[in-house]
PDB file of all heavy atoms in Angstrom:
ATOM      1  N   ALA A  84       6.982  -6.608 -24.199  1.00  0.00           N
ATOM      2  CA  ALA A  84       6.173  -7.533 -24.991  1.00  0.00           C
ATOM      3  C   ALA A  84       7.117  -8.359 -25.856  1.00  0.00           C
ATOM      4  O   ALA A  84       8.098  -7.823 -26.390  1.00  0.00           O
ATOM      5  CB  ALA A  84       5.221  -6.736 -25.863  1.00  0.00           C
ATOM      6  N   VAL A  85       6.824  -9.641 -25.990  1.00  0.00           N
ATOM      7  CA  VAL A  85       7.660 -10.501 -26.828  1.00  0.00           C
ATOM      8  C   VAL A  85       6.785 -11.455 -27.636  1.00  0.00           C
ATOM      9  O   VAL A  85       5.640 -11.727 -27.277  1.00  0.00           O
ATOM     10  CB  VAL A  85       8.659 -11.352 -26.008  1.00  0.00           C
ATOM     11  CG1 VAL A  85       9.732 -10.488 -25.363  1.00  0.00           C
ATOM     12  CG2 VAL A  85       7.932 -12.193 -24.947  1.00  0.00           C
ATOM     13  N   GLY A  86       7.364 -11.982 -28.716  1.00  0.00           N
ATOM     14  CA  GLY A  86       6.724 -13.055 -29.468  1.00  0.00           C
ATOM     15  C   GLY A  86       7.232 -14.386 -28.913  1.00  0.00           C
ATOM     16  O   GLY A  86       8.413 -14.506 -28.547  1.00  0.00           O
ATOM     17  N   THR A 177      15.947  -8.689 -31.853  1.00  0.00           N
ATOM     18  CA  THR A 177      16.062  -8.396 -33.285  1.00  0.00           C
ATOM     19  C   THR A 177      16.052  -6.864 -33.472  1.00  0.00           C
ATOM     20  O   THR A 177      15.665  -6.130 -32.572  1.00  0.00           O
ATOM     21  CB  THR A 177      14.907  -9.037 -34.083  1.00  0.00           C
ATOM     22  OG1 THR A 177      13.667  -8.643 -33.481  1.00  0.00           O
ATOM     23  CG2 THR A 177      15.013 -10.548 -34.086  1.00  0.00           C
ATOM     24  N   LEU A 182       8.724  -7.033 -38.223  1.00  0.00           N
ATOM     25  CA  LEU A 182       8.702  -8.328 -37.534  1.00  0.00           C
ATOM     26  C   LEU A 182       9.561  -9.315 -38.324  1.00  0.00           C
ATOM     27  O   LEU A 182      10.163  -8.961 -39.334  1.00  0.00           O
ATOM     28  CB  LEU A 182       7.254  -8.783 -37.356  1.00  0.00           C
ATOM     29  CG  LEU A 182       6.509  -7.860 -36.376  1.00  0.00           C
ATOM     30  CD1 LEU A 182       5.026  -7.880 -36.629  1.00  0.00           C
ATOM     31  CD2 LEU A 182       6.819  -8.236 -34.932  1.00  0.00           C
ATOM     32  N   GLU A 183       9.649 -10.553 -37.851  1.00  0.00           N
ATOM     33  CA  GLU A 183      10.591 -11.521 -38.444  1.00  0.00           C
ATOM     34  C   GLU A 183       9.898 -12.336 -39.527  1.00  0.00           C
ATOM     35  O   GLU A 183       8.670 -12.454 -39.546  1.00  0.00           O
ATOM     36  CB  GLU A 183      11.100 -12.473 -37.353  1.00  0.00           C
ATOM     37  CG  GLU A 183      11.851 -11.781 -36.221  1.00  0.00           C
ATOM     38  CD  GLU A 183      10.969 -10.984 -35.277  1.00  0.00           C
ATOM     39  OE1 GLU A 183       9.837 -11.434 -35.000  1.00  0.00           O
ATOM     40  OE2 GLU A 183      11.407  -9.919 -34.810  1.00  0.00           O
ATOM     41  N   VAL A 199      11.157 -13.618 -28.679  1.00  0.00           N
ATOM     42  CA  VAL A 199      11.790 -12.631 -29.542  1.00  0.00           C
ATOM     43  C   VAL A 199      11.196 -11.237 -29.281  1.00  0.00           C
ATOM     44  O   VAL A 199       9.987 -11.114 -29.108  1.00  0.00           O
ATOM     45  CB  VAL A 199      11.673 -13.023 -31.035  1.00  0.00           C
ATOM     46  CG1 VAL A 199      10.207 -13.168 -31.465  1.00  0.00           C
ATOM     47  CG2 VAL A 199      12.379 -12.048 -31.956  1.00  0.00           C
ATOM     48  N   GLY A 200      12.093 -10.264 -29.181  1.00  0.00           N
ATOM     49  CA  GLY A 200      11.661  -8.881 -28.941  1.00  0.00           C
ATOM     50  C   GLY A 200      12.708  -7.921 -29.517  1.00  0.00           C
ATOM     51  O   GLY A 200      13.731  -8.369 -30.041  1.00  0.00           O
ATOM     52  N   MET A 201      12.426  -6.632 -29.427  1.00  0.00           N
ATOM     53  CA  MET A 201      13.308  -5.665 -30.086  1.00  0.00           C
ATOM     54  C   MET A 201      13.982  -4.671 -29.145  1.00  0.00           C
ATOM     55  O   MET A 201      14.617  -3.749 -29.622  1.00  0.00           O
ATOM     56  CB  MET A 201      12.483  -4.870 -31.110  1.00  0.00           C
ATOM     57  CG  MET A 201      11.834  -5.718 -32.172  1.00  0.00           C
ATOM     58  SD  MET A 201      10.779  -4.691 -33.234  1.00  0.00           S
ATOM     59  CE  MET A 201       9.876  -5.948 -34.136  1.00  0.00           C
ATOM     60  N   THR A 224       2.992 -11.766 -26.129  1.00  0.00           N
ATOM     61  CA  THR A 224       1.799 -11.113 -26.675  1.00  0.00           C
ATOM     62  C   THR A 224       1.264 -11.816 -27.916  1.00  0.00           C
ATOM     63  O   THR A 224       0.134 -11.587 -28.337  1.00  0.00           O
ATOM     64  CB  THR A 224       2.108  -9.651 -27.029  1.00  0.00           C
ATOM     65  OG1 THR A 224       3.270  -9.635 -27.853  1.00  0.00           O
ATOM     66  CG2 THR A 224       2.322  -8.809 -25.795  1.00  0.00           C
ATOM     67  N   ASN A 225       2.127 -12.650 -28.525  1.00  0.00           N
ATOM     68  CA  ASN A 225       1.732 -13.329 -29.781  1.00  0.00           C
ATOM     69  C   ASN A 225       2.679 -14.496 -29.979  1.00  0.00           C
ATOM     70  O   ASN A 225       3.769 -14.534 -29.403  1.00  0.00           O
ATOM     71  CB  ASN A 225       1.876 -12.352 -30.961  1.00  0.00           C
ATOM     72  CG  ASN A 225       3.292 -11.802 -31.077  1.00  0.00           C
ATOM     73  OD1 ASN A 225       3.702 -10.936 -30.304  1.00  0.00           O
ATOM     74  ND2 ASN A 225       4.058 -12.329 -32.015  1.00  0.00           N
ATOM     75  N   LEU A 226       2.254 -15.440 -30.777  1.00  0.00           N
ATOM     76  CA  LEU A 226       3.181 -16.498 -31.198  1.00  0.00           C
ATOM     77  C   LEU A 226       4.002 -15.902 -32.342  1.00  0.00           C
ATOM     78  O   LEU A 226       3.487 -15.167 -33.179  1.00  0.00           O
ATOM     79  CB  LEU A 226       2.416 -17.731 -31.659  1.00  0.00           C
ATOM     80  CG  LEU A 226       1.518 -18.375 -30.591  1.00  0.00           C
ATOM     81  CD1 LEU A 226       0.818 -19.612 -31.126  1.00  0.00           C
ATOM     82  CD2 LEU A 226       2.318 -18.731 -29.323  1.00  0.00           C
ATOM     83  N   ALA A 227       5.302 -16.197 -32.352  1.00  0.00           N
ATOM     84  CA  ALA A 227       6.205 -15.585 -33.342  1.00  0.00           C
ATOM     85  C   ALA A 227       5.855 -16.037 -34.762  1.00  0.00           C
ATOM     86  O   ALA A 227       5.104 -17.008 -34.952  1.00  0.00           O
ATOM     87  CB  ALA A 227       7.653 -15.939 -32.994  1.00  0.00           C
ATOM     88  N   ALA A 228       6.425 -15.330 -35.743  1.00  0.00           N
ATOM     89  CA  ALA A 228       6.087 -15.578 -37.156  1.00  0.00           C
ATOM     90  C   ALA A 228       6.303 -17.039 -37.523  1.00  0.00           C
ATOM     91  O   ALA A 228       7.337 -17.639 -37.213  1.00  0.00           O
ATOM     92  CB  ALA A 228       6.971 -14.694 -38.043  1.00  0.00           C
ATOM     93  N   LEU A 235       1.059 -11.481 -38.409  1.00  0.00           N
ATOM     94  CA  LEU A 235       1.181 -10.791 -37.111  1.00  0.00           C
ATOM     95  C   LEU A 235       0.753  -9.324 -37.230  1.00  0.00           C
ATOM     96  O   LEU A 235       1.005  -8.694 -38.260  1.00  0.00           O
ATOM     97  CB  LEU A 235       2.621 -10.838 -36.619  1.00  0.00           C
ATOM     98  CG  LEU A 235       3.272 -12.221 -36.530  1.00  0.00           C
ATOM     99  CD1 LEU A 235       4.645 -12.141 -35.898  1.00  0.00           C
ATOM    100  CD2 LEU A 235       2.395 -13.188 -35.743  1.00  0.00           C
ATOM    101  N   VAL A 240      -0.531  -7.424 -30.396  1.00  0.00           N
ATOM    102  CA  VAL A 240       0.426  -7.176 -29.326  1.00  0.00           C
ATOM    103  C   VAL A 240      -0.204  -6.271 -28.273  1.00  0.00           C
ATOM    104  O   VAL A 240      -0.209  -6.567 -27.061  1.00  0.00           O
ATOM    105  CB  VAL A 240       1.723  -6.525 -29.894  1.00  0.00           C
ATOM    106  CG1 VAL A 240       2.642  -6.045 -28.778  1.00  0.00           C
ATOM    107  CG2 VAL A 240       2.447  -7.505 -30.806  1.00  0.00           C
TER     108      VAL A 240
HETATM  109  N1  LIG B   1       8.773 -10.159 -32.759  1.00  0.00           N
HETATM  110  C1  LIG B   1       9.534  -9.140 -32.296  1.00  0.00           C
HETATM  111  N2  LIG B   1       9.170  -8.330 -31.311  1.00  0.00           N
HETATM  112  C2  LIG B   1       7.965  -8.561 -30.726  1.00  0.00           C
HETATM  113  C3  LIG B   1       7.117  -9.588 -31.141  1.00  0.00           C
HETATM  114  C4  LIG B   1       7.548 -10.438 -32.220  1.00  0.00           C
HETATM  115  O1  LIG B   1       6.840 -11.377 -32.644  1.00  0.00           O
HETATM  116  N3  LIG B   1       6.003  -9.538 -30.364  1.00  0.00           N
HETATM  117  C5  LIG B   1       6.191  -8.507 -29.497  1.00  0.00           C
HETATM  118  N4  LIG B   1       7.385  -7.907 -29.718  1.00  0.00           N
END
Side-chain angles (χ1 to χ4, degrees):
V85 291
T177 53
L182 292 155
E183 299 73 36
V199 58
M201 301 175 192
T224 51
N225 57 285
L226 300 181
L235 306 186
V240 170

